[in-house]
Amino acid sequence: QVQLVESGGGLVQPGGSLRLSCAASGSIFRSADMGWYRQAPGKQRELVAGISRSGSTDYVDSVKGRFTISRNYAKNTMYLQMNSLKPEDTGVYYCNTQRPLYWGQGTQVTVSS
């Protein structure tokens, strides 16, 4: 069974930075393409950053140049470095495979002055 635990969210001012972490059990990072999803209030959850098993990354246009997804296979941990945060980045962030079956609790990111 795979367990996903997100952490690192919080309240940050526009222009600030946060680093989210995702701890996973099992062999998820070695067996699946992964990603960070965001669910903004009143909106559908969307994949904002993805990383393949080979290490290839991709981002939704709105975060390109500001967010960086990475994974540490030894630690079974995935990260999302978020810089130059904007209010529209606000939402609950979830880590998961790119074929999600269930969701963890996520971590709240609020960008506000």
Side-chain angles (χ1 to χ4, degrees):
Q1 298 294 321
V2 174
Q3 181 174 291
L4 301 166
V5 181
E6 301 93 344
S7 62
L11 175 64
V12 64
Q13 294 184 340
S17 297
L18 286 172
R19 184 175 176 85
L20 308 184
S21 298
C22 170
S25 61
S27 60
I28 185 170
F29 290 112
R30 298 186 185 277
S31 64
D33 297 340
M34 300 291 297
W36 284 95
Y37 298 77
R38 177 176 66 210
Q39 186 164 29
K43 297 183 178 181
Q44 293 292 316
R45 183 156 32 202
E46 66 172 340
L47 181 69
V48 298
I51 185 166
S52 73
R53 288 163 288 180
S54 67
S56 177
T57 61
D58 199 10
Y59 304 88
V60 69
D61 286 345
S62 62
V63 308
K64 285 182 178 178
R66 300 187 297 116
F67 289 11
T68 303
I69 186 172
S70 62
R71 61 203 296 175
N72 186 317
Y73 287 101
K75 296 181 178 180
N76 286 340
T77 304
M78 186 170 65
Y79 306 94
L80 185 67
Q81 178 66 47
M82 306 186 295
N83 298 324
S84 302
L85 283 162
K86 304 175 180 179
E88 53 262 43
D89 296 321
T90 293
V92 180
Y93 285 73
Y94 303 85
C95 65
N96 218 315
T97 72
Q98 292 185 37
R99 291 181 176 270
L101 298 177
Y102 59 90
W103 300 91
Q105 296 302 304
T107 185
Q108 176 72 45
V109 172
T110 303
V111 185
S112 176
S113 60

